[in-house]
Structures are given as C-alpha cells and as structure tokens.
Amino acid sequence: MISKNSIDSGTNLYCILGHPIEHSFSPIIYNSWFKDFNLNKIYLAFDVAPKNLKNTVIGFKAIKVGGFNITIPHKEKIIKYIDEIDSTAKKIGAVNTVKNEDGFFKGTNTDAIGAENALKENGFTINDKNVVILGSGGAAKAISSILVKRAKKIILINRTISRATNLAKEIKKKFRTNIEAKINSKHNLEEEIKSADILINTTPVGMYPLVNKSPILREFLHPNLFVFDIVYNPPLTQLLKDASGIGCKTLGGLDMLVNQAALAFEWWTNKKPKIELMKNKIREFLVKN
Ligand code: NAP
C-alpha cells in the first residue's frame, strides 16, 4: 500500500549553493524549522562549481525553487544571475538569500544583521573600537557594513590585496570611514593586531576539514583582544582555542549563522523561528557526531 509521505508532489524546494558545501549546517537548521511550523518544504545543499552557477539559477527558475541561500564563493557573483537585489544587498554588494516571488528572483543579505544580532546577544560593542578584519570577500563586506559608522578604525587584511583595496575604497567613498587595506603578511598581521581591540576572521581558514589551521600565529594575539571567528564548523576553531587560551574574549560563527538563517527563514515564510533552541540543537548535534 502506498502511504502518504511528508514529501509529496506539493513539496517546495529550498536550498543552499556553495563550493565546497559539505560543511554547511543550513539543511539541519531549515528542515527543522520547516517541521516546527508544519510547512511542506524541504531544504537541500548543492555543491555548485563557479562555472555552473548561471545554469543552476536558470534551472531553479524552471523548477520553481522557493528560495535559496548562497555561500562561499558565490555571494558576489550571484548578483548578475538574479532579477533584483534590495537596498541591504546593494549596500553590501553581496547576496546570501534569494526569494522566488512569482518567478522573480529577489536577493537580500542577512549576514550583516545576523552578525550584529550575534554580537549584541553576546554583549559585545564595536563602538569606537579598532577592528582588524581578515578577508575581504562577501562576509567581510557584510560585516564592514555594520562597522562603518561605529568603529574607530577598520583594517582589512587580505591575501589578494586588490580585493581589500577595492572594498576599502568603496566603503571610504560611501561612508567616509577610517579604513585601510593591507596585504596578508606576517609583518602586517603582527603590527595591526598589536593595536586592535577586535579581530574578526572572515576567511575560511580553520573551517572543516582544515580544522587545525588558524589564520594567524598564536603569538600575535593579546589578552585585550576580542576575537570573533565567523567560521561555524567547527564551532570552536583553532583561532578561538588559541585566543581563549591566552585570555581573550571570543565568539564563534554559530550565533551569526543561526541569526542570519532566522532572518532568511522569516523573509521566506513570514514566521519567526526559535533562535536559542536551534543553537542548542546544533551544539547537541555536534557533540553526538
Ligand atoms: P568569499 O567571498 O569567498 O571570501 C573569502 C575570503 O577569504 C577572501 O577574502 C579570500 O581571499 C580569503 N581566503 C580564502 N582562503 C584563504 C586562505 N587559505 N588564506 C587566506 N585567506 C583566504 O567567502 P565568504 O562568503 O566571505 O565566506 C568566508 C567564510 O565565512 C566561510 O568560511 C563561510 O562559511 C563563513 N561565513 C560564516 C557565516 C556565519 O553565519 N557564521 C556567514 C557567512 C560566511 P582572496 O580574496 O585572496 O581569495
């Protein structure tokens, strides 16, 4: 006998596109929330190489995907393949969430507010602080957009200097922020971190499977530094271990992840999911696996 399954011909597909993607917790988060609200929706993760991004989006339109998230390395390139981006995504220059509105793909970015909410929930302030950001990709753009009006000074340190310089120029032009770009070298890391109050890692260094790597040497850290590593898998990265080992206050990427996902979920479904409960569920999942 055929029994009615929870997935049927009316199930609406949501997903995440990234490359790599096996580190993603998004399917766990969204499928759990879909279940909580009894929604006939399913969420999958797709590993899409950059050369296949355009065709993937075209295919998504054809099969009426309800919405999707975009992660490393597609957050900036996706813009040219969707129909419209809102003012937040325009300000940041990167998209992490797309919604299908009657066949029209609309993009936004929930990373900045997700990061801001995570910092607030953990009692951290960025007002008048000297901030060093490692990386200059999509997440660095989003995070800079919340720092611009409040930080005293921002230093972007990146492997590819042109990317950091362009981002710094863009931010300076838009917001007149005190921001500088530097190439990722031992000398620059050591010098800039000495006078920094906050260090934010937005590079994937330390992310699964390269879990023993840290983007900076332990000896460059100092106890007055607040270290925010936005990598969420593993939740306790090598950088966070090194930092808390010498007495720094730290925050991992899980809080930002769940906060940015909650904002995307609400945009797609008009429903407010439980954030704290989800953070605990992921922590439990990680202990078991
Ligand atoms: P992205 O746009 O591809 O940018 C990655 C940045 O990291 C670039 O500046 C890149 O430098 C740098 N980078 C990459 N590999 C490096 C290496 N081996 N050494 C030094 N620098 C390196 O990616 P993204 O979307 O910003 O995401 C970056 C990370 O943040 C990922 O791990 C992602 O999972 C995480 N993330 C977490 C959250 C959260 O909610 N917690 C949200 C967004 C992103 P080049 O310019 O030289 O290539």
Side-chain angles (χ1 to χ4, degrees):
M1 202 169 96
I2 297 170
S3 62
K4 187 152 171 55
N5 201 303
S6 55
I7 297 171
D8 59 23
S9 54
T11 304
N12 203 197
L13 175 65
Y14 287 74
C15 57
I16 182 163
L17 309 181
H19 184 68
I21 200 63
E22 71 269 20
H23 67 281
S24 177
F25 290 142
S26 296
I28 299 171
I29 297 175
Y30 290 101
N31 285 318
S32 171
W33 284 338
F34 288 153
K35 206 169 156 201
D36 289 347
F37 289 98
N38 206 14
L39 298 171
N40 193 3
K41 301 181 189 301
I42 186 173
Y43 191 101
L44 300 176
F46 293 117
D47 189 334
V48 175
K51 67 177 175 34
N52 294 325
L53 186 62
K54 184 179 175 185
N55 284 341
T56 302
V57 177
I58 293 171
F60 278 0
K61 251 198 191 175
I63 61 166
K64 300 185 180 132
V65 164
F68 53 97
N69 293 119
I70 302 96
T71 188
I72 186 170
H74 303 311
K75 285 184 186 175
E76 293 160 68
K77 289 190 191 90
I78 192 74
I79 294 175
K80 59 176 183 267
Y81 304 130
I82 57 177
D83 299 303
E84 189 185 285
I85 62 169
D86 71 0
S87 55
T88 309
K90 253 181 218 155
K91 190 168 103 181
I92 296 169
V95 163
N96 78 333
T97 307
V98 173
K99 184 181 178 182
N100 184 349
E101 285 187 354
D102 299 321
F104 196 75
F105 279 179
K106 219 171 162 177
T108 189
N109 194 310
T110 64
D111 280 338
I113 305 176
E116 191 169 27
N117 290 347
L119 288 165
K120 261 193 224 153
E121 278 170 13
N122 289 280
F124 293 113
T125 172
I126 44 183
N127 291 0
D128 296 320
K129 299 282 196 271
N130 289 315
V131 186
V132 169
I133 300 182
L134 306 179
S136 297
K141 277 187 167 181
I143 299 216
S144 317
S145 81
I146 61 165
L147 298 173
V148 284
K149 292 208 179 96
R150 289 183 272 148
K152 189 168 166 192
K153 187 172 182 186
I154 305 173
I155 306 286
L156 293 170
I157 298 188
N158 200 40
R159 191 176 57 176
T160 311
I161 185 65
S162 58
R163 209 168 171 193
T165 311
N166 291 342
L167 180 55
K169 260 191 209 155
E170 209 180 296
I171 290 176
K172 209 171 215 165
K173 200 171 144 197
K174 276 194 211 160
F175 307 99
R176 297 193 185 158
T177 309
N178 186 359
I179 184 165
E180 270 178 53
K182 302 246 159 132
I183 187 129
N184 190 331
S185 68
K186 272 191 184 165
H187 173 78
N188 285 340
L189 288 170
E190 185 173 18
E191 284 308 305
E192 296 306 332
I193 288 168
K194 256 184 210 164
S195 54
D197 305 299
I198 305 180
L199 171 71
I200 307 179
N201 176 41
T202 73
T203 77
V205 179
M207 182 171 87
Y208 179 85
L210 300 172
V211 296
N212 297 323
K213 296 230 177 237
S214 172
I216 57 165
L217 293 173
R218 192 175 192 269
E219 56 261 37
F220 294 167
L221 300 169
H222 56 81
N224 295 331
L225 201 60
F226 163 53
V227 179
F228 179 22
D229 192 345
I230 74 162
V231 169
Y232 52 82
N233 189 358
L236 196 57
T237 59
Q238 188 60 48
L239 170 61
L240 293 179
K241 281 184 201 163
D242 290 348
S244 57
I246 64 148
C248 300
K249 285 188 180 156
T250 61
L251 178 64
L254 199 57
D255 289 49
M256 174 179 167
L257 176 78
V258 178
N259 271 290
Q260 63 77 28
L263 293 162
F265 184 84
E266 210 178 325
W267 192 46
W268 288 334
T269 65
N270 288 322
K271 300 194 188 302
K272 253 189 190 320
K274 292 203 170 77
I275 292 178
E276 277 313 310
L277 201 67
M278 182 52 68
K279 282 190 217 161
N280 292 336
K281 269 189 185 177
I282 297 181
R283 284 190 194 106
E284 268 171 36
F285 168 85
L286 288 164
V287 170
K288 282 185 200 149
N289 290 277

